[in-house]
Amino acid sequence: MSEVKLIITGPPGAGKTTAIAAISETPPVRTDTRTTDDLSSVKEETTVAMDFGEITLGDGQKVFLYGTPGQKRFEFMWKILVEGGLGLIILVDCSRPEPLDDLKMYLENFSDFIEKTGVVVGITRTDGGNVPELDAFYDCLESTGRTFPMFEVDIREREDVALLIDALVSTLEFSH
């Protein structure tokens, strides 16, 4: 396994683009455009196709990172981007009104891919007021019959993004 393709998904604003920019060894490829829908009050730009970055692990293995668009209307891109993917990182934005519902939605929409691969969940933006306890996220996973590694992360920090990637790669190595 000299090249690994990992997918990063989550709702708009969860930090997919930021995470890839924080860790990529090359300038990330971005497909952002001006936000024109109800998200425009939250963020000026949104990803419409994908973000792409790459890193090299200590053993020389290349890891290609693909960030999905967050909006459900770009679901067709999700299906394209997971082709050939070996693992999934789901970012959950706790500043959104229903982060647990967001997690359920991504678990459901990526369920076919999840059945074949490893998954790690990154909980972002936990410094707000009405943030669910980490146990609530574990309960949410268990209610779907799943358990995955889960971490509170600041996706602006290279070390936090590296933690998610390392955990996912370890999960993939353990399961194969």
Side-chain angles (χ1 to χ4, degrees):
M1 194 163 33
S2 60
E3 293 179 355
V4 174
K5 177 181 178 183
L6 302 180
I7 312 303
I8 302 176
T9 196
K16 301 171 297 289
T17 301
T18 302
I20 290 172
I23 200 161
S24 182
E25 296 166 353
T26 60
V29 174
R30 299 172 54 167
T31 60
D32 290 353
T33 189
R34 196 168 70 73
T35 306
T36 58
D37 58 10
D38 57 344
L39 270 181
S40 61
S41 63
V42 179
K43 56 189 282 190
E44 287 184 25
E45 292 187 328
T46 192
T47 302
V48 294
M50 68 172 191
D51 294 312
F52 173 81
E54 62 182 80
I55 60 171
T56 307
L57 300 180
D59 61 2
Q61 186 174 47
K62 282 278 189 197
V63 177
F64 299 123
L65 304 169
Y66 289 83
T68 70
Q71 295 161 289
K72 186 147 172 47
R73 67 185 168 126
F74 295 114
E75 180 181 4
F76 69 96
M77 283 303 301
W78 302 349
K79 293 178 183 355
I80 293 168
L81 290 173
V82 298
E83 289 181 24
L86 292 180
L88 181 67
I89 296 172
I90 301 173
L91 298 179
V92 180
D93 177 0
C94 286
S95 71
R96 288 175 49 91
E98 301 292 338
L100 295 170
D101 288 345
D102 287 340
L103 177 58
K104 287 179 191 170
M105 192 275 290
Y106 284 91
L107 290 170
E108 182 179 305
N109 281 275
F110 284 87
S111 62
D112 290 345
F113 184 54
I114 289 170
E115 295 301 320
K116 301 181 276 190
T117 192
V119 178
V120 171
V121 178
I123 309 298
T124 70
R125 298 185 179 203
T126 57
D127 52 358
N130 196 16
V131 176
E133 295 292 324
L134 203 53
D135 284 347
F137 289 100
Y138 280 112
D139 291 344
C140 178
L141 282 178
E142 287 177 14
S143 75
T144 67
R146 298 180 170 103
T147 55
F148 305 125
M150 189 174 330
F151 304 93
E152 285 187 35
V153 292
D154 181 340
I155 44 73
R156 299 169 295 187
E157 299 296 329
R158 180 180 178 83
E159 295 79 21
D160 285 14
V161 179
L163 172 67
L164 293 173
I165 292 168
D166 288 344
L168 182 54
V169 169
S170 295
T171 300
L172 294 170
E173 289 173 351
F174 182 74
S175 65
H176 287 98

